[in-house]
Structures are given as structure tokens and as C-alpha cells.
Amino acid sequence: MSANEARRRVEAVWRLESARIIAGLARLVRDVGLAEELAQDALVQALEQWPETGVPDNPGAWLTAVARRRGIDRIRREQTYARKLTEIGHRLETADDTAFDGVLDEEPIEDDVLRLVFTACHPVLPVPSRVALTLRMIGGLATDEIARAFLVPEATVAQRIVRAKKALAAAGVPFETPVGADRAARLASVLEVLYLVFNEGYAATAGDDLVRADLCREALRLGRVLAGLAPGEPEVHGLVALMEVQAARTRARTGPDGRPVPLAEQNRGQWDRLLIRRGVAALLRARGLGAAPGPYVLQAAIAVTHAQAPSFAETDWTAIAGLYELLVREAPSPVVELNRAVAVGMAHGPERGLEIVDGLAADLAGYHLLPSVRGDLLARLGRHDEARAEFARAAELTRNQAERRLLLDRADAP
Amino acid sequence: MRFMMMTTADPSAPQTPPDPEMFAQMGAFIEEMSRAGVLLATGGLEPGGTRIRSKGGKAEVVDGPFTEAKEVVVGFALIETGSREEAIELSKRFWSIVGDGAGVIQQVFGPGD
């Protein structure tokens, strides 16, 4: 087997297995950073050996066993791990692999993966570090892949990961799933990370690609994993529903020339019905849990309402405006208010929408969608000169090239 | 990337009823794929099915039996992964449960492919 072929297989196995391998190790060594290093060491060993020996029958188990052995060696060898040695010393007295199998078989590995998710998204870390650590440890992405996706230098991502691991160790963050009052806030932090990754892919804030599909897919995959790990959390299903339905529109959102296609002009035949159905199912699961709808469930309900409309004109804008009103109450933000203005403008006329938008000028100064929405509403009122000026301003403010071209077209429209 | 993974069956091979243990293992495998966030849809297909042929503007149901058909699709899983290699790894796990047989993995084209 060629080195290249082996590398591709190692990478594939790694993507599928890394979260479980790292999570299992983290339970053993009680240090997520160390667990990740050990797993990386096993990955390197696979890259060295597999081209020679061929890929083992059960590559995931091979990686786990190697990482575990390295963990045991490391704990034995290094004085710096004396503390951990005392913690699990009694197991190491007769340390062989079977002793550790015992440790690892106490509970389902899924519980460990959930702990790993909560640890990687711990609020003690700055958001970019949470994102990097989550993609690296749970998504199994390499540092350079994360760097490419976020358009930052690889060294920056590497540094974020190193610092994040140190910060977790320094803060003594326990490897556990939060319970009680803490849980909601910690879960919100996890969901924020996933949604941020999704949005980075869906509405790229910079660069030439409107959609970086890889990031969307990764966020969606992690969301589906999380829904399996925490099936009793309505907001998790809400976020998954939202991402499924948004992802369903990916193909229709970009024209053949790479320009963004607004919702009103999208070819709904290109919407992915399978993902929409999955989104609806996830939303129903969230609602079935009976809690009052949280921000993600509400956003998912809005997305589903759009997805179920046969055409833009036949969209139930009154329902959407109502959902936005609930969302403003649940999670007040000027951006949500701006979206409500769009829905109200559609449901109850552009004047009503414009009233809301004009109240947001101070809060959203510098945000390109404010003049863009304002331009839309003005155009519908027949105030075309003002509308063109708004589109020109929006074009100045956006960092996305494709979006800028679209806005400039509208600014130049007769 | 999306892949359609299908098992194929040789109609000339003797039909043996699947054993219950395999059903349990398959259930666990499907659950694992769902939990891994890669499984979009899965199902079993009736052997043979109804065949339709369109010719000269007329669509007609073609009656069997189809002795010329070497293979009959019996099951599918639609998955979403980062690479073809991941799909192949999953397929290998599937076959480690099922035992002897054959299948095909085909990419389902979507945006960006």
C-alpha cells in the first residue's frame, strides 16, 4: 500500500473515530489536552506503520489500543504526571491493557464524547478557541483544515489549540457533563459554537466563496451527533432542525456565476427535500419534548415555514412575523429585530417594516444588511432614489465579494 | 459528499433467511451511523421491483422474470461524509457484520461536486 493511500485511509478512520478515541482516553487520564496529544501520537504511528503493514482489520480499535498504551507509558515515565499516577495508581500497579479495558468499559463511550463536547466548548475559553478545539477534537479536523476554513494562518489555529488546552488545565475544568443550573448555560455555549461554525460556512463573512460547504456539513454532522448524545434537549434538536433546513437551500442560494440568489428568486425545486424533511422531523422532536420554544427552536420554526411555502408569494409571512416577535422576546437583538422588520414588511406592508428598521439605525450602524433591508422596503414603496443610495451603502459595508456585486447591481438598477 | 451505498444480491444464490443476531447487529450499526451524524436515510428494497421502459413517448411496465439481471438491489444507505474513503470505511464495517456479499458505493452529486 502506498504511503498516500495509507494516509487517506488513516484520515478517514480518524474523522470517524477521533472523538471516541480522545473521549475514552480523557476519561482514563482526566486531562483532555493530554488525551488529544496521545491520540495524535497514535495517529502518527498509524501513518508510519500502515504503509508497511497494511491497514488493520479494525483500524479504530488499533488506534485506541495504541493511544491507550502510549498513555500508560507516558504516565509511568514522566514525573510531571505524578499526580495522575496517584489518582489511578492502583490500576497501574498491575497495568496491562485489560486493566484499562475495565476502566473504559464502565460506561458507554457516548457519555465520554458528550463530556468532551462540553469541555471543548467550556466558557472559560474564548470563542475562537472553542471552535478550533471542537473541530479538532470532535470533528477530527487537522489544524491546517481548520485554518483554511476560517481563512486564518495555520500557526494561529495551532496556537489557539495549545492555549486552549493549557487554559482548560489551568482552570482545572473537570471532564464531566454539567448538571443542574449550570447545564443550560453550558449547553448554550456548545450550541453557539456549532451554529458559529455552520454560519461561517453558510454566510462566509470574508473571501470569495459565498458558501463553504465543508464547514456547514461539519457543523451539521456535529449537531446530529449531539442530538444523539443529548436527545432530551429541545434546543439541540432545534439547532439541528435549523441547520438541516438552511443546508437544504444551499444549492439554490448561489447562481451559476457565484452570485447570491435572494430567497424571493430562489428556484425552490433545487431545495433539498430530504434535508427539509429531516429538519421538520428534528423540529417535531424538539416540540415533542414539551418545553417552551427557545431561540433555536423558534429560528427552526421560521426556517421550516419558509421551506414549506410553495413560493415566495405564498409564504405565511404573518406566521413568520409572529415567530420573530417571540424570538425578539426570547433572545433580543437588533439583528433579530431587523429580520422581524422584513417579515412585518411582507405581512403588513413596507411602511410598517420601515418603522422598525428606522429604530435600528444606531444599533446596527456599519452592518450591511441594515441599508440592504431598508433599500428593499424603500424600493417597494416606490422611493427608488433613496433605495439605490441604501444599496450602494450596503455594498460598501459588506466584506463578501459575491454579495457586494449583487448589491452594486441593485444600486445601479434603473 | 453524499454516497449511496447499496448491497446487491445474486438471485442464483440460495436464499437463506437472515439470522436474528445479524438483524440486531445491523440495528446497532445503523444506530451508530445515525449517531455519528453520517446517515441520512436507509431502507430495504423489494427484490426485482416493477420495471418501466419508455419508448417512442410511451412508458410501459415491463413484465418479468428478468433472467438477464445478474444482480438485485436489496438494501441501501444514503450517507454524508467528508470523503469517499470515509464511505468505504463505513462500508467495510457493514460487511464485517453481514459477512459474504457484494455492494456498490456511488457518489450522489450535489452542490459543489
Side-chain angles (χ1 to χ4, degrees):
Chain A
M1 171 181 289
S2 77
N4 195 38
E5 201 182 331
R7 184 181 53 78
R8 290 177 69 92
R9 276 208 67 190
V10 174
E11 279 169 5
V13 171
W14 184 250
R15 287 291 300 274
L16 295 167
E17 300 280 353
S18 61
R20 285 156 172 257
I21 295 172
I22 296 168
L25 281 166
R27 190 203 297 170
L28 180 69
V29 300
R30 292 283 150 188
D31 178 331
V32 164
L34 176 59
E36 203 264 348
E37 270 171 50
L38 294 166
Q40 287 287 335
D41 289 347
L43 178 68
V44 170
Q45 192 173 328
L47 285 165
E48 286 166 2
Q49 281 189 13
W50 292 4
E52 303 291 324
T53 59
V55 177
D57 282 345
N58 189 338
W62 188 95
L63 285 168
T64 307
V66 167
R68 209 184 297 172
R69 258 200 307 279
R70 284 183 173 250
I72 297 166
D73 288 349
R74 182 102 168 235
I75 293 167
R76 276 183 180 149
R77 205 172 53 231
E78 291 186 21
Q79 283 302 309
T80 39
Y81 295 108
R83 185 176 51 80
K84 290 183 184 68
L85 195 66
T86 10
E87 266 176 35
I88 55 170
H90 64 285
R91 289 180 189 135
L92 285 169
E93 291 302 313
T94 54
D96 60 357
D97 277 4
T98 46
F100 284 90
D101 282 339
V103 178
L104 292 173
D105 290 342
E106 279 161 14
E107 318 172 47
I109 192 76
E110 280 72 23
D111 294 349
D112 287 327
V113 177
L114 186 58
R115 289 187 187 107
L116 190 64
V117 173
F118 273 113
T119 309
C121 298
H122 198 282
V124 77
L125 304 172
V127 171
S129 301
R130 285 183 227 167
V131 168
L133 212 53
T134 302
L135 289 175
R136 166 97 164 193
M137 297 204 302
I138 298 115
L141 265 64
T143 308
D144 63 322
E145 290 176 299
I146 301 169
R148 270 202 308 277
F150 283 89
L151 310 170
V152 292
E154 192 179 337
T156 307
V157 175
Q159 205 172 42
R160 272 178 201 164
I161 290 169
V162 170
R163 283 193 188 147
K165 287 186 204 163
K166 279 187 190 153
L168 288 174
V173 169
F175 184 63
E176 63 186 22
T177 300
V179 288
D182 200 19
R183 188 174 168 100
R186 294 282 303 277
L187 186 67
S189 174
V190 172
L191 299 177
E192 183 192 4
V193 167
L194 295 192
Y195 197 39
L196 204 138
V197 172
F198 184 85
N199 269 328
E200 186 63 28
Y202 196 68
T205 51
D208 285 326
D209 288 329
L210 187 67
V211 175
R212 274 178 272 158
D214 280 358
L215 276 180
C216 288
R217 194 190 53 237
E218 192 53 38
L220 196 42
R221 178 171 83 95
L222 294 177
R224 290 169 187 154
V225 170
L226 188 61
L229 296 173
E233 298 287 352
E235 281 289 87
V236 174
H237 296 296
L239 175 59
V240 171
L242 176 61
M243 294 193 294
E244 299 268 15
V245 175
Q246 304 278 61
R249 299 205 287 252
T250 303
R251 196 200 311 230
R253 287 175 79 236
T254 316
D257 53 359
R259 293 192 190 201
V261 180
L263 184 63
E265 291 159 32
Q266 285 175 17
N267 175 357
R268 292 178 184 226
Q270 285 187 325
W271 289 0
D272 187 324
R273 295 288 144 192
L274 175 64
L275 291 187
I276 290 174
R277 216 167 48 235
R278 290 179 59 91
V280 173
L283 181 61
L284 291 175
R285 270 197 295 280
R287 290 199 164 159
L289 291 167
Y296 289 111
V297 171
L298 288 168
Q299 289 176 79
I302 292 165
V304 163
T305 309
H306 279 299
Q308 288 179 331
S311 70
F312 189 74
E314 290 164 277
T315 304
D316 188 348
W317 289 106
T318 310
I320 290 176
L323 287 165
Y324 270 118
E325 207 175 315
L326 290 175
L327 187 57
V328 166
R329 262 184 256 160
E330 193 65 32
S333 101
V335 173
V336 174
E337 193 66 10
L338 183 64
N339 282 302
R340 187 170 79 87
V342 174
V344 167
M346 293 304 295
H348 310 296
E351 301 92 339
R352 296 279 308 280
L354 205 55
E355 281 166 26
I356 301 172
V357 170
D358 288 343
L360 293 169
D363 286 326
L364 291 177
Y367 183 54
H368 70 283
L369 287 180
L370 181 77
S372 171
V373 166
R374 197 159 189 277
D376 255 330
L377 293 164
L378 288 166
R380 284 177 51 211
L381 287 167
R383 292 157 64 175
H384 295 290
D385 288 344
E386 289 166 86
R388 279 193 289 271
E390 293 289 349
F391 289 131
R393 225 178 90 217
E396 269 171 43
L397 292 172
T398 182
R399 284 163 63 205
N400 183 289
Q401 295 304 322
E403 208 164 359
R404 173 174 297 147
R405 284 196 299 273
L406 179 83
L407 287 162
L408 285 174
D409 277 359
R410 300 198 70 184
D412 292 339
Chain B
M1 297 161 88
R2 278 188 193 173
F3 293 93
M4 180 66 93
M5 305 200 300
M6 285 177 288
T7 56
T8 53
D10 181 354
S12 65
Q15 295 287 311
T16 52
D19 85 75
E21 196 200 339
M22 196 196 86
F23 266 121
Q25 284 179 323
M26 280 300 300
F29 176 71
I30 287 169
E31 196 181 325
E32 190 191 310
M33 283 207 297
S34 310
R35 280 173 184 268
V38 297
L39 184 68
L40 295 179
T42 185
L45 305 174
E46 69 168 307
T50 302
R51 302 196 178 200
I52 293 184
R53 183 178 293 148
S54 171
K55 201 176 178 186
K58 268 185 82 175
E60 277 181 354
V61 172
V62 186
D63 292 325
F66 306 101
T67 44
E68 81 279 10
K70 286 205 174 63
E71 293 172 319
V72 184
V73 173
V74 293
F76 75 89
L78 183 63
I79 60 165
E80 195 159 46
T81 60
S83 67
R84 181 179 294 270
E85 284 77 11
E86 282 175 54
I88 294 171
E89 284 305 322
L90 290 166
S91 176
K92 285 189 171 162
R93 274 191 226 176
F94 170 83
W95 287 111
S96 75
I97 294 169
V98 173
D100 294 349
V104 60
I105 302 169
Q106 286 171 290
Q107 187 176 353
V108 179
F109 294 112
D113 298 315

